[in-house]
């Protein structure tokens, strides 16, 4: 797992927004939130509603699957963030040993 370059959904959305030259308020308008909320999503301070991923994938012209996977990664990381056995759990999941 350490060989993978996994980023958060927020970082990916920021990367997409900046690469297309959009303002945070423009992205927010797509999902009916303000630019300040987009800022919090990009900095991983606030989670995004999963229902917004389809609109964002269309807006950024990318495969929705990419955003869905990152959304799930963020969710799992949030659940495991303070767990002392986080690495072992992820390793088991990675090895399909459930």
């Amino acid at each position: 797992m350490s060989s993978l370059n996994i980023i958060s959904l927020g970082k990916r959305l920021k990367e997409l927004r900046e690469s297309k030259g959009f303002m945070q308020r423009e992205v927010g308008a797509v999902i009916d939130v303000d630019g300040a909320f987009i800022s919090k999503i990009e900095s991983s301070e606030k989670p995004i509603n999963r229902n917004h991923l389809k609109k964002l994938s269309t807006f950024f012209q990318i495969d929705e699957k990419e955003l869905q996977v990152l959304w799930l990664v963020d969710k799992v990381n949030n659940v495991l963030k303070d767990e002392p056995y986080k690495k072992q759990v992820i390793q088991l999941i990675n090895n399909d040993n459930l």
Side-chain angles (χ1 to χ4, degrees):
M1 179 122 186
S2 59
S3 63
L4 296 177
N5 186 17
I6 297 175
I7 63 171
S8 70
L9 176 59
K11 287 180 184 176
R12 180 64 176 134
L13 291 173
K14 182 177 183 176
E15 180 183 89
L16 287 165
R17 178 182 62 77
E18 289 177 343
S19 73
K20 305 264 186 189
F22 293 119
M23 305 282 289
Q24 289 174 332
R25 62 180 165 76
E26 292 174 293
V27 176
V30 173
I31 58 172
D32 297 320
V33 300
D34 62 19
F37 193 76
I38 295 298
S39 176
K40 290 179 180 179
I41 290 169
E42 289 179 351
S43 64
S44 299
E45 292 176 45
K46 293 276 186 183
I48 190 168
N49 186 312
R50 190 176 196 174
N51 297 329
H52 294 314
L53 300 179
K54 184 170 186 59
K55 285 183 182 178
L56 289 172
S57 67
T58 300
F59 180 72
F60 288 120
Q61 299 177 326
I62 62 166
D63 187 353
E64 183 183 353
K65 178 182 175 181
E66 177 184 353
L67 299 182
Q68 291 284 347
V69 167
L70 290 174
W71 184 88
L72 287 167
V73 168
D74 284 355
K75 190 171 181 88
V76 169
N77 275 329
N78 189 44
V79 169
L80 296 176
K81 69 181 175 188
D82 297 323
E83 293 294 331
Y85 306 114
K86 177 180 177 176
K87 287 184 180 182
Q88 291 91 331
V89 170
I90 291 172
Q91 185 176 11
L92 284 172
I93 291 168
N94 193 40
N95 293 332
D96 291 327
N97 288 330
L98 293 177

